[in-house]
């Protein structure tokens, strides 16, 4: 049973479950586009403006019509880490929008099912294996820089941050590089606006159809890449079945493209606006690893969700089995009870246990690769490109979330390039 109820901050009505108190229904506007120096400063008053847990009647195709939202660090950690109550089931269900029934693995299953799949994939993402990717990552980065360094300008988000993690991903998986624009188009259609069901369906259909055709190619001609290892893989002595194979490949497709691209674009936007900080990193490249984690905390573009599998209470609020709960990193990453001076950029912040890679058993499998890509991308760009600033008149709009800053036009003095 559900009833229609007025929603504060909206122009119409939404369908609100009967067990949700009207006073806990809100539709915040934090994720609307802005041009602020710090685009995530919009949540600075979240703990005064909203209760610690509230209901957001915003639909997610294939998953829910609305979700509970937790904003405090400890509550987010609880939701992420206790899968006996909060399940990763359907954590992503884009494939469900086109009638597919396979699970995205291992992201959308819980223990004990989750463990063997993660164990199977983990060896491909250890620090040792990632270290071996340095030469390839460097070639991709420098190849892109070669294409615009002599022009004295580029759209650093579109021309650099957008393609380089995708090219690294294609190589790791064994996908052909000439499909980079297709991958970017499909990924953007799925993730840019998850409420646009037709866009999600278009991107999901094209991506899944391509992956299935690629599976057949690799069945016939195995190689030493990750996609081939999955297609020909075994768990507990048995071959992976078709649903498991496409489930893993689609998960890697979704996870391998957007976080690095979006976050790095926001980092370069900040460096273009804050030339003092840019110069500090130029002069002290050893600060870049810490800076990457601090920027990830400051620019949380992913707010993941879990589904309650039993009735539960959070801060006295009753959550029903089947309800979804969003872990709102856009608030939790700035919780003053955990992070001292949370809105300040502290490059060597320790500890820095932010939620931008999630938490718990489903902590991002590719976090070491993501960090390496960002560290190398920033270091090489600063080494080769002279001091840069925002191109006069440029539109620096940010969409807090996975769209992030799609365009960051910057300029530099061509005569200052050191060959």
């Amino acid at each position: 049973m559900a009833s229609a109820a007025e929603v504060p901050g909206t122009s119409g009505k939404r369908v609100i479950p009967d067990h949700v108190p009207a006073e806990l229904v809100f539709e915040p506007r934090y994720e609307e586009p802005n041009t602020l120096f710090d685009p995530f400063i919009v949540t600075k008053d979240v703990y005064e403006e909203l209760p610690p847990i509230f209901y957001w009647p915003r639909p997610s195709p294939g998953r829910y019509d609305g979700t509970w939202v937790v904003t405090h660090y400890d509550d987010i950690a609880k939701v992420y880490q206790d899968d006996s109550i909060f399940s990763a089931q359907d954590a992503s269900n884009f494939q469900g929008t086109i009638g597919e029934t396979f699970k995205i693995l291992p992201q959308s299953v819980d223990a004990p099912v989750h463990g063997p799949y993660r164990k199977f994939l983990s060896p491909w993402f250890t620090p040792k294996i990632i270290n071996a990717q340095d030469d390839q990552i460097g070639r991709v980065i420098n190849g892109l820089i070669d294409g615009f360094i002599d022009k004295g300008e580029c759209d650093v988000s579109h021309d650099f941050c957008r393609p380089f993690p995708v090219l690294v991903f294609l190589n790791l998986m064994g996908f052909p590089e000439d499909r980079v624009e297709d991958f970017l188009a499909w990924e953007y259609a799925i993730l840019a606006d998850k409420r646009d069901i037709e866009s999600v369906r278009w991107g999901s259909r094209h991506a899944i159809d391509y992956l299935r055709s690629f599976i057949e190619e690799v069945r016939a001609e195995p190689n030493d890449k990750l996609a081939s290892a999955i297609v020909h893989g075994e768990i507990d002595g048995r071959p992976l079945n078709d649903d498991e194979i496409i489930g893993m490949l689609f998960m890697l497709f979704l996870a391998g493209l957007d976080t690095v691209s979006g976050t790095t674009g926001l980092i370069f936007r900040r460096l273009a606006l804050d030339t003092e900080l840019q110069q500090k990193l130029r002069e002290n490249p050893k600060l870049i690893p810490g800076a990457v984690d601090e920027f990830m905390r400051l620019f949380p573009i992913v707010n993941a969700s879990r589904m309650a599998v039993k009735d539960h209470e959070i801060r006295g609020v009753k959550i029903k089995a089947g309800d979804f709960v969003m872990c709102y990193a856009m608030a939790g990453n700035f919780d003053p009870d955990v992070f001292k001076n949370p809105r300040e950029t502290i490059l060597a912040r320790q500890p820095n246990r932010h939620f931008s890679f999630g938490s718990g058993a489903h902590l991002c499998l590719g976090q070491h690769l993501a960090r390496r890509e960002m560290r190398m991308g920033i270091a090489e760009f600063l080494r080769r490109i002279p001091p840069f600033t925002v191109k006069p008149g440029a539109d620096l709009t940010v969409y807090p979330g996975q769209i992030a800053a799609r365009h960051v036009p910057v300029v530099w003095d061509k005569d200052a390039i050191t060959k």
Side-chain angles (χ1 to χ4, degrees):
M1 294 280 299
S3 58
E6 289 288 347
V7 179
T10 70
S11 58
K13 294 184 178 182
R14 299 288 189 272
V15 176
I16 310 299
D18 283 340
H19 66 277
V20 176
E23 66 271 17
L24 292 182
V25 179
F26 294 87
E27 191 163 4
R29 308 179 78 171
Y30 299 134
E31 295 173 35
E32 292 187 354
N34 68 68
T35 58
L36 301 171
F37 172 79
D38 176 2
F40 292 86
I41 198 70
V42 292
T43 61
K44 69 181 178 65
D45 297 321
V46 62
Y47 294 154
E48 289 73 41
E49 294 173 344
L50 296 171
I53 176 169
F54 65 92
Y55 191 83
W56 195 347
R58 184 176 70 170
S60 177
R63 300 175 66 210
Y64 53 70
D65 293 322
T67 179
W68 292 103
V69 180
V70 288
T71 60
H72 286 248
Y73 190 97
D74 289 347
D75 296 331
I76 293 172
K78 168 73 173 179
V79 172
Y80 269 134
Q81 294 167 13
D82 191 347
D83 60 9
S84 69
I85 299 174
F86 303 104
S87 171
Q89 176 183 339
D90 293 337
S92 293
N93 191 37
F94 302 114
Q95 75 283 8
T97 65
I98 55 173
E100 296 280 358
T101 58
F102 66 82
K103 294 288 186 182
I104 295 178
L105 300 173
Q107 183 182 13
S108 295
V109 292
D110 303 309
V113 178
H114 169 266
Y117 295 116
R118 188 172 180 104
K119 182 179 179 181
F120 174 84
L121 290 172
S122 289
W124 288 84
F125 296 97
T126 62
K128 180 179 179 180
I129 294 299
I130 299 309
N131 289 343
Q133 299 287 320
D134 279 3
D135 287 346
Q136 168 63 17
I137 296 173
R139 282 193 293 272
V140 169
I141 290 169
N142 282 292
L144 291 170
I145 293 174
D146 288 343
F148 52 68
I149 186 170
D150 292 327
K151 298 177 181 177
E153 66 176 279
C154 75
D155 181 341
V156 67
S157 186
H158 186 274
D159 301 336
F160 183 65
C161 304
R162 174 177 170 267
F164 99 72
V166 180
L167 288 166
V168 172
F169 170 77
L170 294 179
N171 178 265
L172 174 70
M173 298 295 293
F175 298 132
E177 287 191 5
D178 62 6
R179 300 306 296 263
V180 63
E181 290 299 326
D182 289 329
F183 272 65
L184 286 165
W186 302 334
E187 178 256 355
Y188 185 76
I190 295 170
L191 298 176
D193 186 352
K194 303 185 192 70
R195 287 165 288 178
D196 182 346
I197 185 66
E198 292 308 318
S199 176
V200 171
R201 286 171 174 162
W202 181 88
S204 298
R205 181 77 279 160
H206 280 79
I208 291 169
D209 284 350
Y210 173 78
L211 292 172
R212 285 205 168 107
S213 68
F214 189 80
I215 287 169
E216 295 311 310
E217 293 178 20
V218 176
R219 283 194 202 279
E221 296 185 29
N223 55 54
D224 62 353
K225 300 295 186 177
L226 177 51
S228 181
I230 293 171
V231 171
H232 298 278
E234 295 184 354
I235 288 182
D236 296 332
R238 62 165 182 82
L240 293 170
N241 63 41
D242 289 346
D243 279 357
E244 290 170 321
I245 291 169
I246 190 64
M248 284 193 195
L249 291 180
F250 193 48
M251 185 278 290
L252 291 167
F253 166 81
L254 292 169
L257 306 185
D258 66 298
T259 303
V260 173
S261 176
T263 304
T264 311
L266 291 169
I267 292 172
F268 278 106
R269 180 185 186 273
R270 170 63 62 85
L271 296 180
L273 291 168
D274 188 343
T275 54
E276 183 177 334
L277 177 58
Q278 181 188 146
Q279 189 60 28
K280 186 175 184 177
L281 293 181
R282 287 180 183 279
E283 295 174 354
N284 303 277
K286 289 184 179 179
L287 294 175
I288 291 175
V292 165
D293 258 316
E294 180 68 340
F295 284 131
M296 290 204 70
R297 184 187 71 83
L298 291 168
F299 306 143
I301 65 173
V302 177
N303 301 293
S305 299
R306 297 290 184 262
M307 186 180 73
V309 292
K310 61 179 74 171
D311 291 354
H312 186 67
E313 288 192 7
I314 299 177
R315 296 178 182 257
V317 176
K318 294 180 179 179
I319 311 297
K320 293 283 190 179
D323 286 356
F324 278 80
V325 182
M326 178 187 291
C327 298
Y328 206 51
M330 281 180 62
N333 273 13
F334 305 98
D335 191 328
D337 290 337
V338 178
F339 300 102
K340 184 178 180 180
N341 301 321
R343 299 291 169 172
E344 183 180 339
T345 304
I346 302 174
L347 300 183
R349 185 184 292 273
Q350 290 293 335
N352 198 350
R353 290 188 283 270
H354 55 74
F355 290 120
S356 295
F357 285 124
S359 184
H362 292 80
L363 183 70
C364 177
L365 186 65
Q367 62 173 308
H368 299 303
L369 176 59
R371 284 189 174 96
R372 182 61 55 88
E373 289 173 327
M374 285 187 275
R375 291 170 183 174
M376 291 184 66
I378 294 165
E380 277 300 286
F381 197 95
L382 294 179
R383 183 182 71 84
R384 296 190 60 192
I385 301 293
F388 56 90
T389 58
V390 176
K391 186 175 182 177
D395 179 4
L396 291 185
T397 298
V398 172
Y399 296 77
Q402 287 172 290
I403 301 178
R406 302 305 289 188
H407 297 282
V408 182
V410 298
V411 294
W412 57 88
D413 181 0
K414 292 188 290 184
D415 294 332
I417 295 170
T418 302
K419 298 294 184 181

